[in-house]
Amino acid sequence: MTQQENKDDLTSEQRKQIGEKLRALREKKGWKLKDLLNAMEALNIPPLSGRQILRAEKGQMGVSKISLNRIAQALETQLEDLLSDLKDELVEVSEEPSQISPTPDRV
């Protein structure tokens, strides 16, 4: 797969919108970041680092579809719910994480 095929398909605005939704869902549950990490651990979901989640919530970095799904599980929601309210049309996201970003953990 070429570097261009691995290119991030989300705009910074879309990453920001996803991040805002992640934070809103976490805060709606009354959770601090540590609570989200604990929920991921309790569900045997391979965790992300707290720093990765915070940067994703701020839209400073993207998260792969796999990682978004892990966070959604811990928040007791569906991946589709995280992606449903994007203001801009979301480029169709492939099932394969490498199609989303340069590394498996980023969008």
Side-chain angles (χ1 to χ4, degrees):
M1 186 163 291
T2 69
Q3 182 91 10
Q4 186 65 24
E5 289 171 326
N6 267 344
K7 190 171 181 289
D8 182 350
D9 287 335
L10 299 177
T11 67
S12 61
E13 181 61 28
Q14 289 168 328
R15 284 192 299 272
K16 183 178 175 186
Q17 291 172 40
I18 291 170
E20 289 170 354
K21 185 124 187 204
L22 287 173
R23 179 172 287 211
L25 288 168
R26 179 175 58 78
E27 290 177 347
K28 183 177 180 180
K29 292 179 85 57
W31 286 2
K32 302 263 188 231
L33 178 61
K34 181 72 174 167
D35 298 316
L36 175 57
L37 295 171
N38 288 339
M40 292 177 82
E41 183 179 344
L43 294 170
N44 278 337
I45 298 170
L48 303 171
S49 73
R51 184 171 184 216
Q52 285 176 305
I53 293 173
L54 285 177
R55 290 187 67 207
E57 286 183 351
K58 292 178 182 181
Q60 295 173 343
M61 69 175 271
V63 181
S64 72
K65 188 173 180 181
I66 290 170
S67 295
L68 281 175
N69 193 44
R70 291 173 181 167
I71 296 169
Q73 286 178 318
L75 293 170
E76 300 174 335
T77 191
Q78 300 294 315
L79 177 61
E80 294 76 21
D81 295 335
L82 291 177
L83 303 177
S84 66
D85 293 335
L86 293 180
K87 295 173 191 162
D88 299 324
E89 183 178 315
L90 179 62
V91 174
E92 186 175 316
V93 180
S94 169
E95 290 293 324
E96 185 179 337
S98 63
Q99 300 264 332
I100 299 172
S101 66
T103 63
D105 284 340
R106 296 184 180 198
V107 175

